[in-house]
Amino acid sequence: MHRLESGIAGARLTPADYAENFADLHPRFDRHEALVAADRCYFCHDAPCMAACPTAIDIPMFIRQITTGNPLGSARTIFSQNILGGMCARVCPTETLCEEACVRHTAEDRPVEIGRLQRYATDIAMDRGRQFFARAADTGRTIAVVGAGPAGLACAHRLAMNGHSAIIYDARQKAGGLNEYGIATYKAVDDFAQKEIDYLLAIGGIEIRNGQALGRDFSLSDLTADYDAVFLGLGLADTNKLGIEGDDLAGVDDAVDFIAALRQARDRSLVPIGRRVVVIGGGMTAVDAAIQAKLLGAEEVTICYRRGKDQMNASVYEQELAAARGVVIRHWLSPRRILDSDGAVAGIELDYTALRDGQLVSTGEIGVIACDQVMTAIGQRFRPVGLGALEMERGRIIVDEHCRTSMDRVYAGGDCVQRGEDLTVQAVAHGRDAADAIHLALASAGQPAAAVA
């Protein structure tokens, strides 16, 4: 094997290597594979898998429909609860949700492959352009949706089903939010995020206005004055910084930005990567960044996490996937300082850590890993800009079980709220439920109260 050049560079691999490395992680089942996988389902009457799904998809029903040769009916069952079921089939941590609850998992340590079966059905429906939901008669109501991510898109679609109009404002130049910018490239290939948006928008009554940011181009008070209701589907725009010596050196990069740049790259050979990369963090972002660094041609990739394996937010499945790709995961290491060589990264110095009386402490030992690139994936934060007097708690918006905020006619969901987990499927559930709550509130209020902006 040829030795890779040192430093951060692109074009480390051949075009064939890039194509192979970033191919679909789990290709769609063919018909025979789907029938065999579906036949393993017990169709439990109490459906623990369904209870574990944040969007409460009727999993036994959609799998039974596959077994009877009705993938379109299966897709309708899925989309009725989760209009972004295609992406969720690809990126949901099913191993810690529905599949973990599967009775087959308990009996055989191998669950029904619910995620791949969901993809089988939804892909067929989307490929055929089959729409299951029509927009109801226009109610004359228009709702502002801030954020074109999973929560905002799900909200807008359900509002359209009920005959309302939705105007989605998004700060980025492309809609999709996390699905477009934050998902590992090999988990959603062939520009699937945009295809899913096109499928969703086909219902009509939804307009997306890109390049429009809350707090910069408009305020919450502007929206409440101009629209009948407002839904805030804001993502986590800020990332945490290391705050250590050397974190401003060339070669220190944010893992979120790296993932976004790779997803938007038309030519992956132009995405530069180090020969030896260290990723700081223990969540899904850290794992996604590390695996993709390896796929881009990095010779050595190491994840450093300050706690143990069991405390990592990334699932065991994702940790094992990283290991299978050649990523080394080292635990009980906390970054101390980044070493400098002529203004660029030369390595990272780390403290060894341990738990003592429930507190994470340094053992006093210090280690060094030589590297030329450091990626930080130590968490993201909500940026509360332009929200006025909206009540917050621990940096997120407070909502009730119907996604209502402290302000009249303002709802919120997704990563910006203090409710549920920061997952695509959870955001979809919030958006859907908020839309239902908005519809009920508008129906009880009578005639339209605001003009369309």
Side-chain angles (χ1 to χ4, degrees), residues 361-406:
V361 299
S362 171
T363 66
E365 300 170 279
I366 296 174
V368 173
I369 300 177
C371 61
D372 41 38
Q373 188 173 21
V374 173
M375 293 190 194
T376 60
I378 55 174
Q380 296 173 260
R381 293 177 290 112
F382 176 51
R383 184 188 299 166
V385 177
L387 299 179
L390 210 61
E391 290 186 12
M392 312 274 292
E393 182 180 19
R394 297 195 302 275
R396 308 250 187 140
I397 301 170
I398 298 173
V399 295
D400 66 10
E401 66 273 19
H402 301 293
C403 295
R404 293 177 298 207
T405 71
S406 60

Side-chain angles (χ1 to χ4, degrees), residues 324-359:
R325 296 287 190 172
V327 174
V328 175
I329 302 178
R330 298 185 61 180
H331 304 100
W332 306 110
L333 289 173
S334 180
R336 180 183 179 92
R337 68 185 177 105
I338 299 174
L339 306 179
D340 183 349
S341 175
D342 296 325
V345 172
I348 185 166
E349 186 177 275
L350 305 113
D351 283 318
Y352 283 84
T353 59
L355 280 177
R356 292 177 183 164
D357 298 325
Q359 298 294 317

Side-chain angles (χ1 to χ4, degrees), residues 13 21 289-301 325-327:
L13 306 174
N21 288 353
I291 291 175
Q292 293 187 113
K294 193 71 176 174
L295 297 181
L296 284 172
E299 188 176 86
E300 301 172 7
V301 180
R325 296 287 190 172
V327 174

Side-chain angles (χ1 to χ4, degrees), residues 14-24 268:
T14 67
D17 288 334
Y18 286 115
E20 179 180 355
N21 288 353
F22 289 93
D24 205 337
R268 296 187 185 97

